Amino acid sequence: MPIPILTFKQLINKVKKLNRRYEQLAASSGENFNIFHILKLQSSETRLHSAFIAELLNPKGTHGLKDEFLKLFLKTLEIKPTDFNTQTATVDIELHVGAIGKNYETGGRIDICIRDTSQRKIIIENKIYAPDQRNQLVRYHNYDNLANLYYLTLDGEKPEETSSGQLKINDHYKLISYKKDILEWLHLCRERAVVQPILRESFTQYINLIKHLTGQTINDYMNEEVASLITENQENLEAAFILYNTLDHACERLLNKLKIEVSEIANELGVEYNFDIDIRFNKRFKGISFYPEGWERLKIAFQFQSYDKDLVFGIARKEVESGALPSIWIITISQRIQANERGVNEWWPFHEACEPYTNWDLYEPWAAIISGEMKRFIKQKVEEILELFKDQKF
């Protein structure tokens, strides 16, 4: 027997009331305030994440707790204390290990490298939204094949084969995530810093940021209340399952709406476009591309960088191709886009996270499609690039 429409509405209204109550609580408690968001550093791998983590891991760091946080890090990664001397450790970010060789098997810059006086190393390749580079993990493994090599991402996804080559997970490198490993470590660190209020609150701010980036923003207490509501009776449970199973279909309808709006944007701006987004998000590098007239090798792109619906925006290559881009293009782009914090790589001369619509596992991007804000957001981004480079033919 079909569930009455009234049951769906009642369930949805009750959840909405709960959500409003917890939103008010978050606002009154100051939980919504996050210094990293305010400074627009939330997706900056080098300026925020690598720098913050490295400072905590450094026994000579300004936190003043010597190797306490490094010990907790080794504990989280299940590295035996006898396998690494934390007291003598040094920590480097963006460690230059030589120019990248012609065969892409040596050289590069290591995001985080921890070394003790016996030259035992822990190497971390830190990926928030940036794409994998050619033979990146291979190069770092070749730099020191005895090092503990970790591939750190938001959710623990695997690297592209273009980065890992023939290396095998757990044999040559390990996967770790912000969602599990880094959060677990940060909580341990905060407990250790409980009597140091400034340090403790810095941990709280960063933990809240990581929860936001990994789609864990729902208050734990609210989670419990919603779970209790759903399991209150069979009708609520059945209604919740039906809503869950139809969510992809609802989002697909919204993507169809967005596709029409992207076509309208392209027509209004006089550019060609391609819309290639799969609702299952099971393939990387899908997204929306705009092709300005005269741009033969580059495009303006909105692209999902991982299987977890993380959207970035920037100037990218039209096709996967060999050969370096003209250096004058890179210089021109870097000079004109001063906010390019994420650096340059061989596929993206410029790219940034699509804040506040980076994580499409969350509600906000889909709500923005309904309101029309997503169309305005995309059009504004494209217009800015077209205006900045109206005299260029890439």
Side-chain angles (χ1 to χ4, degrees):
M1 180 177 177
I3 293 181
I5 295 296
L6 182 60
T7 300
F8 287 108
K9 289 183 177 179
Q10 289 173 335
L11 181 61
I12 290 170
N13 285 335
K14 287 181 179 178
V15 172
K16 285 171 67 177
K17 285 181 180 178
L18 280 174
N19 187 52
R20 280 196 294 270
R21 175 152 60 87
Y22 279 99
E23 282 181 343
Q24 291 169 357
L25 180 62
S28 62
S29 67
E31 187 178 330
N32 289 335
F33 179 88
N34 192 282
I35 190 66
F36 303 117
H37 275 293
I38 293 169
L39 297 177
K40 299 187 183 302
L41 292 171
Q42 60 269 24
S43 60
S44 178
E45 289 166 3
T46 303
R47 292 184 59 200
L48 173 58
H49 297 285
S50 290
F52 190 85
I53 291 170
E55 182 66 14
L56 294 176
L57 294 174
N58 187 355
K60 296 181 180 179
T62 53
H63 49 75
L65 291 179
K66 299 183 179 179
D67 61 344
E68 290 295 314
F69 299 144
L70 179 54
K71 286 179 180 177
L72 293 174
F73 191 70
L74 298 187
K75 178 181 178 181
T76 302
L77 299 184
E78 298 182 346
I79 297 176
K80 296 178 182 179
T82 54
D83 290 343
F84 197 86
N85 188 338
T86 57
Q87 293 181 337
T88 65
T90 58
V91 183
D92 294 292
I93 58 173
E94 292 291 296
L95 177 67
H96 182 66
V97 293
I100 297 176
K102 292 182 179 180
N103 56 4
Y104 286 86
E105 291 184 356
T106 57
R109 290 186 179 274
I110 295 173
D111 289 331
I112 302 174
C113 184
I114 313 164
R115 293 176 284 188
D116 65 11
T117 50
S118 298
Q119 290 304 305
R120 290 173 292 194
K121 301 180 183 68
I122 299 171
I123 294 173
I124 301 171
E125 173 54 28
N126 187 18
K127 293 289 185 187
I128 302 294
Y129 298 116
D132 289 323
Q133 296 179 27
R134 183 176 172 184
N135 273 359
Q136 195 165 24
L137 287 179
V138 173
R139 287 186 270 117
Y140 302 157
H141 174 73
N142 289 341
Y143 168 65
D144 186 345
N145 59 18
L146 297 179
N148 288 291
L149 176 59
Y150 293 93
Y151 185 75
L152 170 61
T153 60
L154 289 176
D155 295 283
E157 61 261 28
K158 299 177 182 178
E160 291 291 303
E161 195 172 307
T162 53
S163 172
S164 60
Q166 300 300 312
L167 301 183
K168 295 182 179 179
I169 298 173
N170 294 327
D171 287 344
H172 303 109
Y173 67 96
K174 293 182 179 179
L175 305 177
I176 55 175
S177 71
Y178 280 92
K179 189 172 187 176
K180 178 183 179 296
D181 305 284
I182 297 300
L183 271 182
E184 178 183 328
W185 170 59
L186 290 170
H187 281 294
L188 292 173
C189 292
R190 186 169 63 178
E191 289 176 11
R192 176 62 183 82
V194 68
V195 296
Q196 296 171 287
I198 295 176
L199 189 55
R200 182 188 66 232
E201 293 311 310
S202 296
F203 279 119
T204 298
Q205 290 276 300
Y206 192 58
I207 285 170
N208 288 341
L209 174 65
I210 298 305
K211 285 185 174 181
H212 173 78
L213 292 175
T214 56
Q216 303 177 78
T217 55
I218 296 179
N219 187 290
D220 290 339
Y221 293 106
M222 178 181 162
N223 248 346
E224 286 299 316
E225 287 202 51
V226 172
S228 296
L229 176 62
I230 290 172
T231 56
E232 191 174 88
N233 54 59
Q234 290 182 355
E235 280 192 337
N236 281 1
L237 182 63
E238 186 177 0
F241 267 97
I242 291 172
L243 290 170
Y244 172 77
N245 289 327
T246 56
L247 183 59
D248 273 0
H249 182 64
C251 290
E252 192 159 15
R253 292 185 64 177
L254 292 176
L255 283 183
N256 288 335
K257 177 179 185 293
L258 182 61
K259 184 175 183 178
I260 293 171
E261 293 176 342
V262 167
S263 174
E264 293 170 351
I265 292 171
N267 185 56
E268 291 164 8
L269 298 181
V271 296
E272 298 294 321
Y273 79 99
N274 181 58
F275 187 97
D276 184 16
I277 304 176
D278 187 335
I279 188 60
R280 292 180 293 277
F281 292 91
N282 58 1
K283 293 183 179 179
R284 300 182 77 176
F285 312 128
K286 296 288 186 177
I288 304 166
S289 299
F290 294 93
Y291 306 100
E293 184 178 355
W295 287 31
E296 295 183 0
R297 297 181 64 186
L298 299 180
K299 64 182 179 181
I300 302 171
F302 296 79
Q303 194 173 93
F304 291 95
Q305 292 291 290
S306 77
Y307 306 113
D308 294 293
K309 311 177 187 178
D310 299 321
L311 187 67
V312 301
F313 159 75
I315 298 175
R317 293 192 185 219
K318 275 188 180 181
E319 306 291 343
V320 176
E321 56 176 333
S322 60
L325 295 172
S327 59
I328 188 63
W329 291 5
I330 306 299
I331 294 170
T332 300
I333 291 170
S334 298
Q335 287 176 339
R336 297 188 187 183
I337 307 182
Q338 299 299 321
N340 184 10
E341 300 172 354
R342 302 184 63 172
V344 172
N345 64 56
E346 56 189 303
W347 310 120
W348 291 85
F350 158 73
H351 66 299
E352 64 184 13
C354 278
E355 293 290 348
Y357 307 122
T358 299
N359 189 343
W360 284 52
D361 266 328
L362 303 180
Y363 153 82
E364 285 79 7
W366 305 99
I369 297 175
I370 293 176
S371 68
E373 174 60 21
M374 185 62 71
K375 178 182 179 181
R376 187 206 65 78
F377 174 82
I378 292 174
K379 184 177 181 180
Q380 179 181 329
K381 289 284 189 182
V382 176
E383 283 180 320
E384 289 173 355
I385 294 296
L386 290 175
E387 178 61 27
L388 280 171
F389 300 101
K390 58 187 177 183
D391 59 336
Q392 293 294 316
K393 301 294 183 184
F394 294 130

PDB file of all heavy atoms in Angstrom, residues 52-71 189 192-196 198-200 202-203:
ATOM      1  N   PHE A  52      49.780  23.943   8.043  1.00  0.00           N
ATOM      2  CA  PHE A  52      49.223  23.722   9.379  1.00  0.00           C
ATOM      3  C   PHE A  52      49.645  22.359   9.926  1.00  0.00           C
ATOM      4  O   PHE A  52      50.107  22.235  11.064  1.00  0.00           O
ATOM      5  CB  PHE A  52      47.695  23.821   9.311  1.00  0.00           C
ATOM      6  CG  PHE A  52      47.017  23.850  10.651  1.00  0.00           C
ATOM      7  CD1 PHE A  52      46.867  25.032  11.340  1.00  0.00           C
ATOM      8  CD2 PHE A  52      46.522  22.689  11.225  1.00  0.00           C
ATOM      9  CE1 PHE A  52      46.238  25.068  12.587  1.00  0.00           C
ATOM     10  CE2 PHE A  52      45.900  22.702  12.460  1.00  0.00           C
ATOM     11  CZ  PHE A  52      45.755  23.907  13.146  1.00  0.00           C
ATOM     12  N   ILE A  53      49.497  21.333   9.093  1.00  0.00           N
ATOM     13  CA  ILE A  53      49.862  19.977   9.519  1.00  0.00           C
ATOM     14  C   ILE A  53      51.355  19.889   9.819  1.00  0.00           C
ATOM     15  O   ILE A  53      51.775  19.319  10.836  1.00  0.00           O
ATOM     16  CB  ILE A  53      49.458  18.957   8.437  1.00  0.00           C
ATOM     17  CG1 ILE A  53      47.926  18.847   8.368  1.00  0.00           C
ATOM     18  CG2 ILE A  53      50.079  17.578   8.712  1.00  0.00           C
ATOM     19  CD1 ILE A  53      47.424  18.042   7.184  1.00  0.00           C
ATOM     20  N   ALA A  54      52.179  20.465   8.943  1.00  0.00           N
ATOM     21  CA  ALA A  54      53.628  20.406   9.126  1.00  0.00           C
ATOM     22  C   ALA A  54      54.059  21.121  10.402  1.00  0.00           C
ATOM     23  O   ALA A  54      54.957  20.661  11.114  1.00  0.00           O
ATOM     24  CB  ALA A  54      54.339  21.004   7.918  1.00  0.00           C
ATOM     25  N   GLU A  55      53.426  22.253  10.706  1.00  0.00           N
ATOM     26  CA  GLU A  55      53.781  22.990  11.918  1.00  0.00           C
ATOM     27  C   GLU A  55      53.482  22.167  13.166  1.00  0.00           C
ATOM     28  O   GLU A  55      54.250  22.163  14.129  1.00  0.00           O
ATOM     29  CB  GLU A  55      53.023  24.320  11.964  1.00  0.00           C
ATOM     30  CG  GLU A  55      53.350  25.209  13.158  1.00  0.00           C
ATOM     31  CD  GLU A  55      54.781  25.725  13.131  1.00  0.00           C
ATOM     32  OE1 GLU A  55      55.445  25.635  12.077  1.00  0.00           O
ATOM     33  OE2 GLU A  55      55.227  26.243  14.189  1.00  0.00           O
ATOM     34  N   LEU A  56      52.369  21.439  13.150  1.00  0.00           N
ATOM     35  CA  LEU A  56      52.022  20.594  14.290  1.00  0.00           C
ATOM     36  C   LEU A  56      52.998  19.429  14.425  1.00  0.00           C
ATOM     37  O   LEU A  56      53.347  19.022  15.538  1.00  0.00           O
ATOM     38  CB  LEU A  56      50.600  20.063  14.139  1.00  0.00           C
ATOM     39  CG  LEU A  56      49.481  21.105  14.186  1.00  0.00           C
ATOM     40  CD1 LEU A  56      48.140  20.438  13.922  1.00  0.00           C
ATOM     41  CD2 LEU A  56      49.460  21.827  15.526  1.00  0.00           C
ATOM     42  N   LEU A  57      53.425  18.885  13.293  1.00  0.00           N
ATOM     43  CA  LEU A  57      54.327  17.733  13.312  1.00  0.00           C
ATOM     44  C   LEU A  57      55.758  18.107  13.687  1.00  0.00           C
ATOM     45  O   LEU A  57      56.531  17.249  14.111  1.00  0.00           O
ATOM     46  CB  LEU A  57      54.324  17.055  11.936  1.00  0.00           C
ATOM     47  CG  LEU A  57      53.012  16.399  11.506  1.00  0.00           C
ATOM     48  CD1 LEU A  57      53.116  15.906  10.064  1.00  0.00           C
ATOM     49  CD2 LEU A  57      52.643  15.246  12.427  1.00  0.00           C
ATOM     50  N   ASN A  58      56.088  19.369  13.559  1.00  0.00           N
ATOM     51  CA  ASN A  58      57.456  19.833  13.802  1.00  0.00           C
ATOM     52  C   ASN A  58      57.746  19.889  15.311  1.00  0.00           C
ATOM     53  O   ASN A  58      57.101  20.655  16.036  1.00  0.00           O
ATOM     54  CB  ASN A  58      57.633  21.220  13.191  1.00  0.00           C
ATOM     55  CG  ASN A  58      59.069  21.700  13.242  1.00  0.00           C
ATOM     56  OD1 ASN A  58      59.939  21.043  13.825  1.00  0.00           O
ATOM     57  ND2 ASN A  58      59.321  22.843  12.637  1.00  0.00           N
ATOM     58  N   PRO A  59      58.707  19.108  15.805  1.00  0.00           N
ATOM     59  CA  PRO A  59      59.053  19.160  17.231  1.00  0.00           C
ATOM     60  C   PRO A  59      59.523  20.544  17.683  1.00  0.00           C
ATOM     61  O   PRO A  59      59.460  20.865  18.865  1.00  0.00           O
ATOM     62  CB  PRO A  59      60.180  18.135  17.362  1.00  0.00           C
ATOM     63  CG  PRO A  59      59.978  17.200  16.221  1.00  0.00           C
ATOM     64  CD  PRO A  59      59.464  18.060  15.102  1.00  0.00           C
ATOM     65  N   LYS A  60      59.975  21.363  16.738  1.00  0.00           N
ATOM     66  CA  LYS A  60      60.407  22.717  17.063  1.00  0.00           C
ATOM     67  C   LYS A  60      59.345  23.744  16.692  1.00  0.00           C
ATOM     68  O   LYS A  60      59.628  24.944  16.597  1.00  0.00           O
ATOM     69  CB  LYS A  60      61.721  23.034  16.336  1.00  0.00           C
ATOM     70  CG  LYS A  60      62.886  22.157  16.783  1.00  0.00           C
ATOM     71  CD  LYS A  60      64.166  22.524  16.059  1.00  0.00           C
ATOM     72  CE  LYS A  60      65.327  21.634  16.514  1.00  0.00           C
ATOM     73  NZ  LYS A  60      66.574  21.962  15.794  1.00  0.00           N
ATOM     74  N   GLY A  61      58.112  23.275  16.475  1.00  0.00           N
ATOM     75  CA  GLY A  61      57.023  24.164  16.080  1.00  0.00           C
ATOM     76  C   GLY A  61      56.644  25.151  17.160  1.00  0.00           C
ATOM     77  O   GLY A  61      56.964  24.974  18.348  1.00  0.00           O
ATOM     78  N   THR A  62      55.922  26.181  16.772  1.00  0.00           N
ATOM     79  CA  THR A  62      55.533  27.251  17.694  1.00  0.00           C
ATOM     80  C   THR A  62      54.504  26.798  18.730  1.00  0.00           C
ATOM     81  O   THR A  62      54.214  27.536  19.670  1.00  0.00           O
ATOM     82  CB  THR A  62      54.961  28.442  16.909  1.00  0.00           C
ATOM     83  OG1 THR A  62      53.915  27.979  16.041  1.00  0.00           O
ATOM     84  CG2 THR A  62      56.040  29.111  16.073  1.00  0.00           C
ATOM     85  N   HIS A  63      53.942  25.594  18.554  1.00  0.00           N
ATOM     86  CA  HIS A  63      52.993  25.082  19.547  1.00  0.00           C
ATOM     87  C   HIS A  63      53.661  24.816  20.891  1.00  0.00           C
ATOM     88  O   HIS A  63      53.000  24.780  21.927  1.00  0.00           O
ATOM     89  CB  HIS A  63      52.327  23.801  19.034  1.00  0.00           C
ATOM     90  CG  HIS A  63      53.270  22.782  18.497  1.00  0.00           C
ATOM     91  ND1 HIS A  63      54.059  21.990  19.318  1.00  0.00           N
ATOM     92  CD2 HIS A  63      53.570  22.418  17.224  1.00  0.00           C
ATOM     93  CE1 HIS A  63      54.801  21.186  18.579  1.00  0.00           C
ATOM     94  NE2 HIS A  63      54.531  21.428  17.295  1.00  0.00           N
ATOM     95  N   GLY A  64      54.981  24.601  20.903  1.00  0.00           N
ATOM     96  CA  GLY A  64      55.726  24.461  22.146  1.00  0.00           C
ATOM     97  C   GLY A  64      55.605  23.119  22.830  1.00  0.00           C
ATOM     98  O   GLY A  64      56.096  22.939  23.949  1.00  0.00           O
ATOM     99  N   LEU A  65      54.984  22.135  22.181  1.00  0.00           N
ATOM    100  CA  LEU A  65      54.809  20.819  22.802  1.00  0.00           C
ATOM    101  C   LEU A  65      55.774  19.777  22.237  1.00  0.00           C
ATOM    102  O   LEU A  65      55.523  18.578  22.313  1.00  0.00           O
ATOM    103  CB  LEU A  65      53.354  20.352  22.649  1.00  0.00           C
ATOM    104  CG  LEU A  65      52.336  21.151  23.477  1.00  0.00           C
ATOM    105  CD1 LEU A  65      50.924  20.648  23.241  1.00  0.00           C
ATOM    106  CD2 LEU A  65      52.669  21.083  24.955  1.00  0.00           C
ATOM    107  N   LYS A  66      56.848  20.262  21.645  1.00  0.00           N
ATOM    108  CA  LYS A  66      57.918  19.411  21.131  1.00  0.00           C
ATOM    109  C   LYS A  66      57.373  18.329  20.194  1.00  0.00           C
ATOM    110  O   LYS A  66      56.697  18.643  19.225  1.00  0.00           O
ATOM    111  CB  LYS A  66      58.729  18.844  22.291  1.00  0.00           C
ATOM    112  CG  LYS A  66      59.396  19.940  23.126  1.00  0.00           C
ATOM    113  CD  LYS A  66      60.258  19.390  24.235  1.00  0.00           C
ATOM    114  CE  LYS A  66      60.913  20.530  25.015  1.00  0.00           C
ATOM    115  NZ  LYS A  66      61.751  20.040  26.121  1.00  0.00           N
ATOM    116  N   ASP A  67      57.644  17.048  20.478  1.00  0.00           N
ATOM    117  CA  ASP A  67      57.253  15.988  19.538  1.00  0.00           C
ATOM    118  C   ASP A  67      55.945  15.304  19.925  1.00  0.00           C
ATOM    119  O   ASP A  67      55.636  14.232  19.431  1.00  0.00           O
ATOM    120  CB  ASP A  67      58.366  14.945  19.416  1.00  0.00           C
ATOM    121  CG  ASP A  67      58.667  14.257  20.749  1.00  0.00           C
ATOM    122  OD1 ASP A  67      58.252  14.791  21.795  1.00  0.00           O
ATOM    123  OD2 ASP A  67      59.315  13.194  20.727  1.00  0.00           O
ATOM    124  N   GLU A  68      55.157  15.946  20.792  1.00  0.00           N
ATOM    125  CA  GLU A  68      53.915  15.323  21.255  1.00  0.00           C
ATOM    126  C   GLU A  68      52.948  15.038  20.109  1.00  0.00           C
ATOM    127  O   GLU A  68      52.380  13.950  20.005  1.00  0.00           O
ATOM    128  CB  GLU A  68      53.227  16.203  22.299  1.00  0.00           C
ATOM    129  CG  GLU A  68      53.944  16.279  23.631  1.00  0.00           C
ATOM    130  CD  GLU A  68      53.959  14.936  24.332  1.00  0.00           C
ATOM    131  OE1 GLU A  68      52.903  14.278  24.380  1.00  0.00           O
ATOM    132  OE2 GLU A  68      55.029  14.532  24.812  1.00  0.00           O
ATOM    133  N   PHE A  69      52.748  16.009  19.224  1.00  0.00           N
ATOM    134  CA  PHE A  69      51.806  15.829  18.119  1.00  0.00           C
ATOM    135  C   PHE A  69      52.341  14.851  17.076  1.00  0.00           C
ATOM    136  O   PHE A  69      51.564  14.117  16.448  1.00  0.00           O
ATOM    137  CB  PHE A  69      51.478  17.170  17.469  1.00  0.00           C
ATOM    138  CG  PHE A  69      50.821  18.153  18.405  1.00  0.00           C
ATOM    139  CD1 PHE A  69      51.094  19.510  18.315  1.00  0.00           C
ATOM    140  CD2 PHE A  69      49.928  17.716  19.368  1.00  0.00           C
ATOM    141  CE1 PHE A  69      50.494  20.414  19.178  1.00  0.00           C
ATOM    142  CE2 PHE A  69      49.313  18.612  20.241  1.00  0.00           C
ATOM    143  CZ  PHE A  69      49.605  19.960  20.147  1.00  0.00           C
ATOM    144  N   LEU A  70      53.650  14.841  16.894  1.00  0.00           N
ATOM    145  CA  LEU A  70      54.256  13.890  15.964  1.00  0.00           C
ATOM    146  C   LEU A  70      54.078  12.459  16.483  1.00  0.00           C
ATOM    147  O   LEU A  70      53.783  11.545  15.708  1.00  0.00           O
ATOM    148  CB  LEU A  70      55.735  14.212  15.758  1.00  0.00           C
ATOM    149  CG  LEU A  70      56.526  13.285  14.821  1.00  0.00           C
ATOM    150  CD1 LEU A  70      55.850  13.161  13.469  1.00  0.00           C
ATOM    151  CD2 LEU A  70      57.960  13.791  14.665  1.00  0.00           C
ATOM    152  N   LYS A  71      54.238  12.263  17.776  1.00  0.00           N
ATOM    153  CA  LYS A  71      54.017  10.936  18.358  1.00  0.00           C
ATOM    154  C   LYS A  71      52.582  10.472  18.133  1.00  0.00           C
ATOM    155  O   LYS A  71      52.337   9.305  17.799  1.00  0.00           O
ATOM    156  CB  LYS A  71      54.315  10.971  19.859  1.00  0.00           C
ATOM    157  CG  LYS A  71      55.788  11.044  20.225  1.00  0.00           C
ATOM    158  CD  LYS A  71      55.937  11.094  21.742  1.00  0.00           C
ATOM    159  CE  LYS A  71      57.385  11.171  22.165  1.00  0.00           C
ATOM    160  NZ  LYS A  71      57.500  11.292  23.647  1.00  0.00           N
ATOM    161  N   CYS A 189      45.155  15.434  19.266  1.00  0.00           N
ATOM    162  CA  CYS A 189      45.966  16.626  19.518  1.00  0.00           C
ATOM    163  C   CYS A 189      45.207  17.631  20.378  1.00  0.00           C
ATOM    164  O   CYS A 189      45.783  18.245  21.291  1.00  0.00           O
ATOM    165  CB  CYS A 189      46.377  17.279  18.200  1.00  0.00           C
ATOM    166  SG  CYS A 189      47.535  16.318  17.202  1.00  0.00           S
ATOM    167  N   ARG A 192      45.259  16.663  23.912  1.00  0.00           N
ATOM    168  CA  ARG A 192      46.574  16.929  24.506  1.00  0.00           C
ATOM    169  C   ARG A 192      46.729  18.418  24.827  1.00  0.00           C
ATOM    170  O   ARG A 192      47.425  18.776  25.787  1.00  0.00           O
ATOM    171  CB  ARG A 192      47.682  16.477  23.538  1.00  0.00           C
ATOM    172  CG  ARG A 192      49.093  16.787  23.993  1.00  0.00           C
ATOM    173  CD  ARG A 192      49.430  16.090  25.293  1.00  0.00           C
ATOM    174  NE  ARG A 192      50.763  16.448  25.768  1.00  0.00           N
ATOM    175  CZ  ARG A 192      51.029  17.561  26.453  1.00  0.00           C
ATOM    176  NH1 ARG A 192      50.063  18.432  26.759  1.00  0.00           N
ATOM    177  NH2 ARG A 192      52.270  17.815  26.853  1.00  0.00           N
ATOM    178  N   ALA A 193      46.073  19.286  24.049  1.00  0.00           N
ATOM    179  CA  ALA A 193      46.215  20.734  24.216  1.00  0.00           C
ATOM    180  C   ALA A 193      45.072  21.343  25.022  1.00  0.00           C
ATOM    181  O   ALA A 193      44.850  22.556  24.966  1.00  0.00           O
ATOM    182  CB  ALA A 193      46.299  21.399  22.841  1.00  0.00           C
ATOM    183  N   VAL A 194      44.365  20.528  25.773  1.00  0.00           N
ATOM    184  CA  VAL A 194      43.146  20.984  26.442  1.00  0.00           C
ATOM    185  C   VAL A 194      43.397  22.133  27.413  1.00  0.00           C
ATOM    186  O   VAL A 194      42.524  22.990  27.617  1.00  0.00           O
ATOM    187  CB  VAL A 194      42.449  19.797  27.162  1.00  0.00           C
ATOM    188  CG1 VAL A 194      43.289  19.297  28.334  1.00  0.00           C
ATOM    189  CG2 VAL A 194      41.044  20.177  27.600  1.00  0.00           C
ATOM    190  N   VAL A 195      44.575  22.211  28.027  1.00  0.00           N
ATOM    191  CA  VAL A 195      44.855  23.275  28.999  1.00  0.00           C
ATOM    192  C   VAL A 195      45.490  24.502  28.340  1.00  0.00           C
ATOM    193  O   VAL A 195      45.878  25.446  29.035  1.00  0.00           O
ATOM    194  CB  VAL A 195      45.778  22.761  30.130  1.00  0.00           C
ATOM    195  CG1 VAL A 195      45.091  21.669  30.922  1.00  0.00           C
ATOM    196  CG2 VAL A 195      47.112  22.287  29.579  1.00  0.00           C
ATOM    197  N   GLN A 196      45.599  24.501  27.009  1.00  0.00           N
ATOM    198  CA  GLN A 196      46.164  25.635  26.273  1.00  0.00           C
ATOM    199  C   GLN A 196      45.088  26.191  25.346  1.00  0.00           C
ATOM    200  O   GLN A 196      44.929  25.738  24.214  1.00  0.00           O
ATOM    201  CB  GLN A 196      47.399  25.198  25.480  1.00  0.00           C
ATOM    202  CG  GLN A 196      48.541  24.737  26.400  1.00  0.00           C
ATOM    203  CD  GLN A 196      49.675  24.098  25.622  1.00  0.00           C
ATOM    204  OE1 GLN A 196      49.540  22.971  25.138  1.00  0.00           O
ATOM    205  NE2 GLN A 196      50.788  24.802  25.518  1.00  0.00           N
ATOM    206  N   ILE A 198      44.327  28.818  23.415  1.00  0.00           N
ATOM    207  CA  ILE A 198      44.533  29.312  22.048  1.00  0.00           C
ATOM    208  C   ILE A 198      44.803  28.150  21.095  1.00  0.00           C
ATOM    209  O   ILE A 198      44.227  28.065  20.007  1.00  0.00           O
ATOM    210  CB  ILE A 198      45.683  30.332  22.009  1.00  0.00           C
ATOM    211  CG1 ILE A 198      45.307  31.578  22.810  1.00  0.00           C
ATOM    212  CG2 ILE A 198      46.028  30.700  20.570  1.00  0.00           C
ATOM    213  CD1 ILE A 198      46.415  32.606  22.914  1.00  0.00           C
ATOM    214  N   LEU A 199      45.678  27.257  21.508  1.00  0.00           N
ATOM    215  CA  LEU A 199      46.001  26.091  20.689  1.00  0.00           C
ATOM    216  C   LEU A 199      44.784  25.184  20.542  1.00  0.00           C
ATOM    217  O   LEU A 199      44.479  24.699  19.446  1.00  0.00           O
ATOM    218  CB  LEU A 199      47.162  25.332  21.331  1.00  0.00           C
ATOM    219  CG  LEU A 199      47.808  24.196  20.526  1.00  0.00           C
ATOM    220  CD1 LEU A 199      48.269  24.683  19.167  1.00  0.00           C
ATOM    221  CD2 LEU A 199      48.974  23.606  21.314  1.00  0.00           C
ATOM    222  N   ARG A 200      44.081  24.969  21.650  1.00  0.00           N
ATOM    223  CA  ARG A 200      42.898  24.107  21.629  1.00  0.00           C
ATOM    224  C   ARG A 200      41.843  24.643  20.651  1.00  0.00           C
ATOM    225  O   ARG A 200      41.272  23.889  19.866  1.00  0.00           O
ATOM    226  CB  ARG A 200      42.301  24.030  23.041  1.00  0.00           C
ATOM    227  CG  ARG A 200      41.086  23.108  23.155  1.00  0.00           C
ATOM    228  CD  ARG A 200      40.447  23.226  24.506  1.00  0.00           C
ATOM    229  NE  ARG A 200      39.865  24.546  24.725  1.00  0.00           N
ATOM    230  CZ  ARG A 200      40.101  25.319  25.781  1.00  0.00           C
ATOM    231  NH1 ARG A 200      40.931  24.910  26.721  1.00  0.00           N
ATOM    232  NH2 ARG A 200      39.515  26.501  25.894  1.00  0.00           N
ATOM    233  N   SER A 202      42.348  26.607  18.117  1.00  0.00           N
ATOM    234  CA  SER A 202      42.863  26.490  16.739  1.00  0.00           C
ATOM    235  C   SER A 202      42.539  25.107  16.181  1.00  0.00           C
ATOM    236  O   SER A 202      42.155  24.973  15.016  1.00  0.00           O
ATOM    237  CB  SER A 202      44.374  26.738  16.715  1.00  0.00           C
ATOM    238  OG  SER A 202      44.679  28.052  17.114  1.00  0.00           O
ATOM    239  N   PHE A 203      42.703  24.089  17.026  1.00  0.00           N
ATOM    240  CA  PHE A 203      42.335  22.738  16.612  1.00  0.00           C
ATOM    241  C   PHE A 203      40.838  22.664  16.303  1.00  0.00           C
ATOM    242  O   PHE A 203      40.428  22.049  15.312  1.00  0.00           O
ATOM    243  CB  PHE A 203      42.688  21.721  17.709  1.00  0.00           C
ATOM    244  CG  PHE A 203      44.127  21.311  17.716  1.00  0.00           C
ATOM    245  CD1 PHE A 203      44.930  21.552  18.816  1.00  0.00           C
ATOM    246  CD2 PHE A 203      44.681  20.681  16.614  1.00  0.00           C
ATOM    247  CE1 PHE A 203      46.262  21.181  18.817  1.00  0.00           C
ATOM    248  CE2 PHE A 203      46.022  20.305  16.608  1.00  0.00           C
ATOM    249  CZ  PHE A 203      46.813  20.554  17.718  1.00  0.00           C
TER     250      PHE A 203
END
